Amino acid sequence: MIGYLIRRVAGAGVVLLVLSALIYALFYLAPSDPAILTCGKGCTPERLADVRAAMGLDDPIWTQYGHFLQGLFAGRDYPAGPDVRHCPAPCLGYSFETDQPVTALLLDRLPVSASLAIGAEALSLAVGIGAGMLSGLRRFRVLDRVVNGLILAGYTVPVFLVGLLLLLLFCVHLRWLPFPGYVPFTTDPLLWAQNLLLPWVALAVIQSAAYARLTRSGLQETLAEDHIRTARAYGIPERRILWRRALRGALLPLVTLTAVDLAAIMTSAVLTETMFGLPGVGQLLVGAVNQIDLPVVVGVTLLTGLLIVVANAAADLLYAAVDPRVELR
Amino acid sequence: MIRALRRDRGFVVGAVIAAGMVLVAVTAPLLAALAGQDYTTYHDDLLDSARGGVPIGSFGGISGEHWLGVEPGTGRDLFARLVYGAQVSVGVAVAATFLEVLLGVTVGIAAGLGGRWVDAGLSRLIDLVLSVPVLVMAISLLAIVPQDWPRPLLLAAVIAILGWGGTARISRGETLTLRTREYVAAAQVSGASWGRVARREILPGLTAPILTYAALLLPTNMVVEAGLSFLGVGVRPPTPSWGQMLSSATTWFRADPCYVFFPALLLFLTLLSFVLVANGLRRVLDPRQRAVLR
Amino acid sequence: MTLLQVDDLRISFGDKRAVDGLSFTLPAGGSLGVVGESGSGKSSLALALLGLGGEAAGRIDFDGTDLVTAGPERWRRIRGGQIAMVFQEPLTALSPFHTVGDQIAEVYRLHTGASRRAARARAVEVLAQVHIPDAARRAGAYPHEFSGGMRQRALIAMAIACRPRLIVADEPTTALDVTVQAQILDLLGEVRATTGAALLLISHDLGVVAGSTDSVIVMRRGRMVEQGPTDTVLVAPRADYTRALLDAVPKPGSRDYRPGEPLLRVRDVRKHFRQPRRGSLRQPPPIRAVDGVTLDVHAGETLGIVGESGTGKTTLARMMVGLVRPTAGTITFDGVDIARRRGRSVQMVFQDPLSALNPRRTVGESIADPLRLAGVRDPRPRVEELLERVGLDRGEYDRHPHQLSGGMRQRVGIARAIAPSPRLIVCDEPVSSLDVTTQAQVLALLEDLRRELGLSMVFVSHDLAVLRQIADRVAVLRDGAVVEIGPTAEVYEQPRHPYTRQLLAAVPVTDPAEARRLRALRTAGAG
Amino acid sequence: DTTASDAAFDPKTCQGGTLTVLNQGGINHLDPARLYTSGGGNLPSLLFRTLTTRNRQPGEAGTKPAPDLATDLGTPSDGAKTWTYHLRDGIFFEDGTPITSADVKYGIERSFAPELPGGAPYLRDWLAGAAGYQGPYKQPEGIKAIETPDDKTIVFRLRKPEGDFPYLATATQFAPVPKAKDTGAEYEAHPISSGPYQVESYQPKKSLVLVRNKHWSSSVDELRYACPDRIEVTSGLDAAVINQRLVTGAGKDASAVTTDAVVGPEQLAQLGTGSELDKRVTRGEFPSTTYLAFNTKKAPFDNQKVREALSYAINRTSVVNALGGSAVVGASTTFLPPQKALGHQPYDYFPAGDSGNPEKARQVLAEAGLTGLTIDLAYENDDSEGIGPKVASAVQEAFKQAGVTVKLNAIDAATYRDVVGKPATQPGLALATWGADWPSGGPFLIPIFDGRQIITAGGNFNLAQYNDPEVNAEIDAINALTDPAAAAARWGALDAKLGKLALVIPLTHEKDVYLYGKNVKNAYADGWRGQLDIARISVK
Ligand SMILES: Nc1ncnc2c1ncn2[C@@H]1O[C@H](COP(=O)(O)OP(=O)(O)OP(=O)(O)O)[C@@H](O)[C@H]1O
Ligand SMILES: Nc1ncnc2c1ncn2[C@@H]1O[C@H](COP(=O)(O)OP(=O)(O)OP(=O)(O)O)[C@@H](O)[C@H]1O
Ligand SMILES: [Mg+2]
Ligand SMILES: [Mg+2]
Ligand code: NI
């Protein structure tokens, strides 16, 4: 187990380093110069050269990457006018666009994205598993059909349409909810949930479709297994069989999917974030890409990668915890 | 086998719709000509400029000339744009999905059949692909390739290169279980090489899960194409794509609901058809499901 | 007093009639055996007694009430409480997610309303009763941590937990090897004696019912062909079918044994599997699956390899065909390292014919594969010949494995093995998943082929009776090592090693009197 | 036009309440050295007082500069090459320290530091001998061309006459920065305010909260009313959602405004129908032109006939619709937007009508012996700047009618200016947009048509690469004028003269239509920027 974790962590480290190097290379190949954007309209070539030097962009790309690694592991000093700014390890540098420390930016936006992702995932799971069970038990044929249709519809409808519809319905016409914005959980849990409700629903409409589908097929498969027959032969009530035995096996595949989705929402739900006024990681990333804000792009990418790797590892561990047969390898 | 497929009502419906979509894509110029329209001509006279450029008349300007109305802001014929849009949307999505499956299955099987180190290496590669932020990479990749490369093909390739991780993961997992089956050992005893084992013994076992996955990958890829087009790195104007139309429809959501409705409907139908076809194929390709006995 | 009376029972699955017009009675505390070939409706009957499976018609009178018309509430009380079932496949029959103790306790609580603690205590008690060592601790283990025999014991423990009046055991020992089978059968007898429960024992193996039941029913295609006291039916059968069944039981063959020169030489071969690290960083000791085996296979002979489950038979067999690389030692075929000979002269027949055939390919294609690899362009005619040779129709070429019966599948497996004209065939338990009649046919086929094609054969089995019929020499394997090797007759008649003797004592025999004698011997020895 | 809501408005009693600002794009810098604004900006001008500022009136009157920290618009001497300002009394930073002319000088010097890039470039060009100055961190001796003979006086010595200096002095670079509080790149986390508000919290591109600055008093600042007690800015929102929120006006949104989310089709459908919404809208014009820029050094655009033919062919209605319809943009045939302050003179030398004149275009091309022409058109790959794919395809379609095939060349928005602004990489035809840094003809015409402004190394805006000594001389002459009215007339005449050469095809000029919340009072579009001025509105 410990050995497994060590191997996993080492693997993840390699993946993340390769990822950051890849992004540096891509940006180097791309025909764009962040200094021009920073320098502003009417920037003269002389001024541009000065700005580029101040941003450290006049070094060769590998030196820049070397500096990045140095910052990551040992911290780094940046000249900043009258004094020097010290950025302690793990230093991801300062945003080209806003001059904010990238680590602070990430830490600032992570709670927003986490709130969005965790709530949406919880809701999606609840709805998806519920719907999947209803249709998987095949007690209600019509319901099965309906759920199936909805599942498909959920896949196709783009999130911005769902979002807009929800806003129009609940905030404009019914006025049951205020237009969402982000309120930290620590400030007011109730307001936090109230504000996040619509984005959660919007994402759940799409996510739960997949979960329902998986639950449905998983349940049908598990219910046909021998040990369920044993339980029946020993007079264990259906309800108990369903909750204690069948669901456990049926929901296992959901674990991996949930983990990956969780990471995905945290890092790439740009449209949802913008629509619902949530300053999350996704917005940060897209803004940074458009502004060639290399440090932020690398920072967010590393975070994304870390989240996905961690999510996958967590899924595997959870898998092993839920299913005693699974061995970690 | 064909007979079995023909008996599957879902498959037939799906196949008909899918074939219809492909037909629409192929015959787009013909269809547009039939409607007497093309997808580039502006009709400023059909728009209410003071109202931001919404089509004049109800239902997005539907008329005898413009069967599905016109595009707000430009007045281009919506029917023509939808049928031409099928070319890009269906084309890019199908090509990207195909490439993804090809890549993913190859790497997945290689990882599953390979030894400890091959598996570890390929698994990390899969992790890498899975953790790459698609949007960032796609934008950067598309920015560095020359302008005159064929855009739709490029889109398909980029989407595939960044998106084969899921398929690979599934393929690897399945391969790991399949390789313990005795028929794999049997093939080895008869002297089959690893390549042959992969092709003859493992691959057939992968069809069902991969088909299911691919059917869902397809709409995802359509959405990715839409996003990239929306961000300006996708297909070039005036070439239409459904995804692009859908994304630009957000602003017209209330002012011209028809503009959202038609591409959304087509997208839904396409997905439905592919899921139905995949389900049907899976059922037929699995000989055990044909004779229903448990 | 009659506990169970079945009258004109019919069970159908949709249009399919699985059991047709079955009638019998079982007195309280009595024991009844049900035998018959695969698909004869035995399991359907067992499930019907618990209100599961197909739709039942007719009358099942249990302790004065008709079960066919019983409502759900009554069923709930009967299942597990009055009638308990022991299933064939002990691994899949237990929930993989819960500990064995929990599963037993759950059933007990459900029927008695006992407290959590009491239920737990009962679970440990019954586990101890079925001779699970260190029951209190092992109750916390998951099924996959148990061996096959232990799992089956756990199932029996679950069955007796609520002190039912009838235990239905559907092929409770088919998945187990002889010694464990004997233990389980003894255990069932012991349980019956101590709890006074009646037993309905289902098996395709006449030897299994012979020693454990008072009376027996012989079934075929859903109908009963013969019924009567075990002693009569198995000794002086009236029905032709019963006679055929008895004839199919393997008999010691009279073989002329003329060994040729050594073909396959196994020299001090070892195979160690690394165990996964769990919890700690320390590497646990490896599993020594095969631990220093030296033997020769001579041209033209059939070498039998016998041993209990987990003694390394399969591993050894796989090393012989080059599927598994030995950790140490050498295996040579005709003087050449086996790893380089694979695909030609050595072929293999696998234990489970279903999993050894790719379910997605037609059987013809599967057989054609080795031919294609040998360079045959159009293998179809040759494959059809082979199909005929193993007693199948040419037309089976285009069918898929699931469309064939178990015996047919194994014939396909054999056809595939002989397709590239090998000189040695290694058979890993080729008949243990087949019922007696089919088993006899397949054994005959193998013997025919061997003689006709001048093959050499390695025949792995846990079934001593089978080996006695087919093998020229026998090697007894235990814990990865050969404890005894010699000509068949010698090993069977004058076993030198105590382990061999133990194995021989566990072999089920169809003569009820002999079976009872052996059992008495065993229990006395154990006690 | 002003709305009825300000009839009963009294700046003396307007104080109180919280104003909410809902924006799309975020503020990415709050350092006065790094801001690039017109007239000091809307939000920044609440924090930074400058030597002069915009007059904050609707219409004409609002296009003029007005004294802010200074007592007047500045005293020119030496033929407008020297400008002298005197600071008014009673002005303080938020910490109570008095503002001196040295603080203003230091603020300007900071903007020269390469560590603090992004600000308007004019001073580097205008100040005598300052082009190579590297900022006070590397060169603490400062800029010689700025003198502060005493705490209240500041003198600027320029390279050449600049009559527009009072306009430039509205930029945030003219805001005072106390040297003792300067923390370089970190200064913007909490810039020291000289205006009516100070920063309570600031997160770039996300949020900004302003509260009252106790050391500011309305008695020394007549232009800013500073009515709300508190201003909360939220950025990163979707334009459609912002406007929907303003329409709905629930809760805090009733006291909300936006400074960058122009209305969309949804709201336009409700405007002008006599609904309640008609009372909650400001309409203004920010001087800005979207145009097609020819590179006259590249064939076939070196041929004036080709440029004229394309000018005939353009369909401005399509472009207007592509940009959101006639409510938010107007068709332009002149390079100078139609504003008096800029000296606008109407002309239409190559009449294309509403929807283009392809016949005439074909005819002109035929005369020039050019048929079946294929040209490239460069545009941004993103529509946010109004020179994206939507406009490009409208142009493409219009030229197609005239038999000219347009191949579209999408360039990443982030690098667009880089590619187009470097003559070596500049395409033959590009979509471009130009906005005024202040409402005068100079900043409109000089960068685009002054031949001495062609910068070959990059950052060039004279995309025509047009260099006519006569025009250059005229520009210098107008620059020396210190009377805006006189200057405007000559700028207009210059524009009309340049128009004949078809160096650009003007497409549209900007109109601004903004909604505001129910509780917002005294909201009108100021003449300088076309937006409602936050310094003047009230939510009480
Ligand atoms: N769920 C089912 N649906 C349809 N037919 C079934 C089902 N279960 C059993 N049958 C059929 O009923 C017949 C009797 O089957 P059953 O399982 O009772 O035989 P069996 O004697 O137990 O065989 P085996 O020795 O292989 O276990 C078979 O022909 C089988 O195909
Ligand atoms: N691939 C493997 N990895 C780890 N352990 C293995 C592996 N294969 C076999 N073993 C272990 O090696 C031992 C011998 O297994 P093997 O399958 O050879 O026994 P067997 O005699 O064929 O048993 P059975 O009668 O149950 O088939 C067992 O303990 C088994 O768990
Ligand atoms: Mg059975
Ligand atoms: Mg074995
Ligand atoms: Ni087939």
Side-chain angles (χ1 to χ4, degrees), chain C residues 42-43 88 170-171:
Chain C
K42 307 183 297 289
S43 296
Q88 167 173 4
D170 186 3
E171 316 241 14

Side-chain angles (χ1 to χ4, degrees), chain B residues 293-294, chain C residues 13 16 18 37-44 88 171:
Chain B
L293 234 185
R294 240 210 114 83
Chain C
F13 294 92
K16 173 133 185 117
E37 65 190 5
S38 186
S40 55
K42 307 183 297 289
S43 296
S44 304
Q88 167 173 4
E171 316 241 14

Side-chain angles (χ1 to χ4, degrees), chain C residues 38-39 353-354 357 363 392 396 399-413 433-435 438 441-442:
Chain C
S38 186
L354 185 59
L357 291 171
V363 296
L392 294 172
E396 313 286 9
R399 299 181 72 183
H400 285 277
H402 70 273
Q403 294 167 310
L404 306 180
S405 73
M408 289 161 89
R409 283 178 209 142
Q410 198 54 292
R411 284 169 201 267
V412 171
S433 65
L434 306 176
D435 61 39
T438 330
Q441 291 161 7
V442 171

Side-chain angles (χ1 to χ4, degrees), chain C residues 273-274 287 289 308-316 351 428-429:
Chain C
F273 290 107
R274 289 218 295 181
I287 295 173
E308 287 182 301
S309 183
T311 46
K313 303 185 296 291
T314 298
T315 309
L316 180 60
Q351 166 168 13
D428 186 10
E429 318 229 18

